[in-house]
Amino acid sequence: MNFDRLKEQWNNEDADSVNIPNNIEQLKKSKHPIEKIQKSMKMELPFQIIGIILIGFFPQQLDFPVSQHIIYYTSYTLFVVISSYYFLGFYKFYKQTELYTGNTQNSLWKIYHELKLNMERYKSLGFLLLPHFMITLGLVFYNVLAKKGESLVNMSSHNQQVLILSVVIGTIAIIAGIILWTQYYSFFIMYWRKKESL
């Protein structure tokens, strides 16, 4: 190791470019990115659980006949069971971030890859909404048509177009929302990775 070279580089560094926070508030704002991810996970989990519970009341809110409740709640039960598996994975990841020290390059890479894996898991959980959304939308259309004295068999071309358009727009909205939300976090992860590698 060339200590003379290191000393020369040290002396050549611009002292004005070093920014040291001069108060406690600035130090609090410069929290480690893992702490920000933990805080966001803590905030998001209750909202997701409340959202899943509210989805369970859709048959009452949308006035589904009692005969259709079995169809809806079969789909809903599958959605809840599969979501529980994903929530367990998120919980394990959250607990793992509490053990994170960030003091070696290996631990940085490990947490980075775990975070990327959980982002993909998060996307998958969001995509699980699609089949349940389709079933709910189908039941809504069936009931609207039944009130007009029509059925899915003798549906007018206008109603067919509305149904197809609703499915397409709803599917695109769900997929775009999931991708944009995870891209927001992916951008944050990439920024953090660049910052940590400096």
Side-chain angles (χ1 to χ4, degrees):
M1 193 175 270
N2 190 343
F3 288 106
D4 291 330
R5 187 174 165 203
L6 285 173
K7 185 178 176 184
E8 183 183 330
Q9 286 176 347
W10 182 285
N11 289 334
N12 289 339
E13 274 189 7
D14 184 14
D16 295 334
S17 66
V18 178
N19 184 17
I20 300 171
N22 54 9
N23 63 28
I24 298 288
E25 290 305 313
Q26 285 180 330
L27 285 170
K28 285 181 182 175
K29 287 179 185 174
S30 64
K31 286 185 176 178
H32 198 278
I34 285 295
E35 292 176 18
K36 291 179 183 177
I37 291 168
Q38 287 173 332
K39 184 179 176 184
S40 125
M41 286 177 81
K42 268 187 190 177
M43 286 175 43
E44 193 165 330
L45 182 65
F47 287 115
Q48 287 183 354
I49 291 172
I50 290 169
I52 288 174
I53 291 169
L54 290 177
I55 289 172
F57 292 105
F58 274 13
Q60 290 79 22
Q61 294 169 347
L62 300 173
D63 291 326
F64 288 173
V66 178
S67 60
Q68 293 177 355
H69 285 197
I70 188 72
I71 298 169
Y72 183 86
Y73 283 116
T74 301
S75 170
Y76 178 74
T77 301
L78 289 171
F79 175 67
V80 169
V81 168
I82 295 170
S83 297
S84 300
Y85 167 76
Y86 281 95
F87 285 138
L88 180 64
F90 294 139
Y91 177 75
K92 285 180 180 176
F93 173 69
Y94 178 78
K95 283 299 188 185
Q96 190 176 9
T97 60
E98 290 179 346
L99 304 174
Y100 170 72
T101 57
N103 55 1
T104 66
Q105 187 173 4
N106 284 341
S107 67
L108 286 174
W109 275 108
K110 183 177 180 186
I111 201 72
Y112 169 75
H113 288 295
E114 286 293 323
L115 196 52
K116 289 291 278 182
L117 177 68
N118 275 280
M119 296 305 290
E120 291 303 316
R121 189 180 287 160
Y122 189 83
K123 279 185 192 177
S124 298
L125 174 62
F127 293 144
L128 282 173
L129 276 173
L130 284 174
H132 187 69
F133 167 74
M134 296 297 175
I135 290 170
T136 305
L137 190 64
L139 291 173
V140 168
F141 263 89
Y142 180 84
N143 292 326
V144 168
L145 291 174
K147 287 177 183 174
K148 292 180 178 180
E150 296 181 34
S151 69
L152 293 173
V153 177
N154 61 359
M155 195 177 356
S156 67
S157 62
H158 171 73
N159 287 338
Q160 289 175 0
Q161 291 170 356
V162 170
L163 176 61
I164 292 168
L165 195 62
S166 300
V167 168
V168 170
I169 291 172
T171 303
I172 290 172
I174 289 173
I175 291 172
I178 293 164
I179 290 172
L180 289 174
W181 186 249
T182 52
Q183 286 299 329
Y184 167 76
Y185 277 107
S186 293
F187 172 77
F188 179 73
I189 292 166
M190 293 306 291
Y191 172 76
W192 170 55
R193 182 177 168 212
K194 286 178 186 173
K195 192 174 176 182
E196 290 289 331
S197 63
L198 294 175

